[in-house]
Amino acid sequence: SDVYKRQVDNDVKVAGVDILPNDSFAVYVDSMRFVPLNCGLIRVRLGGFSATHGNVINPTNMTPSQPFLYPHIDSTIFMPSYEQKRIMKVGSMDPTTILVGTLETFDPVSSKYGILGCFAINLFIDKDTGQPITNSKVSGRLNEGNFQLPIYCELSLSKPLALKELYSHC
């Protein structure tokens, strides 16, 4: 009912951290589970898109300036451990920015490159509602927390994900 919805909405405490253009934030990738049998080494390619600017996260606004995360040498193929981070500069990112990770691998039998799947998360949330921002004129907060993100595997891709493909599959 509308009364219940208003009560729930009024009880929401918005998490997150206020951000300024010169701020930075860290993105950590620790590990993944349930990797298919036909995967070799899986690297994670980080990138990002916004509704107004297209591709906004690239190696120039990351530290270290390398979009790839590789698993630790002592982790297993079926449960790779990364435990790595990238520091991102907020800079010109608008509040609609979505962080996208593409999982790239190769088939150890055929040695063919492939995309295992991708994950995405909104980097910023609305200050008042805590919901993802869809309008770049809304002020936002950094979407802070520890997230276990699902991997979307239904995509049939043979190259890294681009904005057009992201919107057509989501």
Side-chain angles (χ1 to χ4, degrees), residues 113-141:
Y113 167 86
I115 304 289
L116 178 61
C118 64
F119 61 86
I121 187 170
N122 292 77
L123 285 180
F124 306 103
I125 55 176
D126 187 294
K127 279 185 172 188
D128 300 323
T129 65
Q131 297 298 311
I133 298 173
T134 56
N135 180 346
S136 61
K137 295 185 180 8
V138 174
S139 61
R141 294 182 146 198

Side-chain angles (χ1 to χ4, degrees), residues 1 13-14 20-21 23 26 28 33 68 75 81 92 137 142 148-149 154 166:
S1 76
K13 302 287 188 243
V14 178
L20 299 170
D23 285 348
Y28 292 87
R33 300 175 291 172
F68 301 110
S75 66
S81 173
S92 63
K137 295 185 180 8
L142 186 62
Q148 184 171 335
L149 301 175
E154 293 83 22
L166 177 69

Side-chain angles (χ1 to χ4, degrees), residues 17 31 39 50 103 115 118 120 155 161:
V17 177
S31 64
C39 290
S50 78
L103 307 177
I115 304 289
C118 64
L155 305 176
L161 199 61

